[in-house]
Amino acid sequence: MNRKLLILGAVLGFTAVLLGAFGAHGLQKIVEPAAVDSFETGVRYQMYHAFLALLVGGVFTISAKAKKTLFYLLLTGILLFSGSIYLLSTQAATGIDFTSIALLTPLGGLLLILGWGVLIVQFLKKKD
């Protein structure tokens, strides 16, 4: 599971940098500033969770079950949270109405919060 978390962290970080560059250099020309701000929020949260996946996969000593749970919470949470933000903030440029997926954003956020909760529980269980 460490390998999967490290790969997840690297892929999330890689795509966050690519999307961040797009947001900073390409998106500003085609959507409103508020949409760019939203897009940047998605990128920022994606990068935060890329770092978390790298830490969990490479540094933290927590149970294998917790690592597996974190992997799926982070992956699904970022896909729903950041992914829905990316789609919603670019709908003016694409001409596609993504408002029907707006409820995925808080659901993804909840999954990310649950992931942090799993980590807190694991740290509380640790005996040093």
Side-chain angles (χ1 to χ4, degrees):
M1 189 48 63
N2 287 344
R3 182 174 180 269
K4 285 184 179 181
L5 282 160
L6 292 170
I7 292 169
L8 176 65
V11 168
L12 290 177
F14 177 82
T15 55
V17 172
L18 287 176
L19 291 166
F22 169 69
H25 301 291
L27 195 58
Q28 290 180 342
K29 299 171 187 165
I30 55 177
V31 298
E32 297 294 320
V36 174
D37 289 343
S38 292
F39 192 89
E40 289 173 353
T41 297
V43 170
R44 191 169 41 254
Y45 275 77
Q46 181 173 331
M47 187 59 84
Y48 294 156
H49 291 87
F51 287 137
L52 178 60
L54 291 170
L55 286 170
V56 170
V59 178
F60 296 157
T61 54
I62 60 174
S63 75
K65 181 180 176 184
K67 285 185 179 188
K68 185 175 183 177
T69 301
L70 270 167
F71 174 82
Y72 288 110
L73 287 171
L74 294 178
L75 175 61
T76 308
I78 284 300
L79 287 174
L80 295 179
F81 181 81
S82 293
S84 64
I85 289 175
Y86 299 147
L87 293 174
L88 289 164
S89 61
T90 58
Q91 66 185 355
T94 63
I96 301 170
D97 182 12
F98 290 112
T99 53
S100 61
I101 66 160
L103 291 177
L104 295 179
T105 308
L107 177 59
L110 176 62
L111 295 176
L112 296 174
I113 291 167
L114 290 173
W116 285 97
V118 166
L119 199 56
I120 290 168
V121 168
Q122 288 297 298
F123 290 158
L124 288 172
K125 287 181 176 180
K126 250 177 116 62
K127 304 214 187 307
D128 286 340

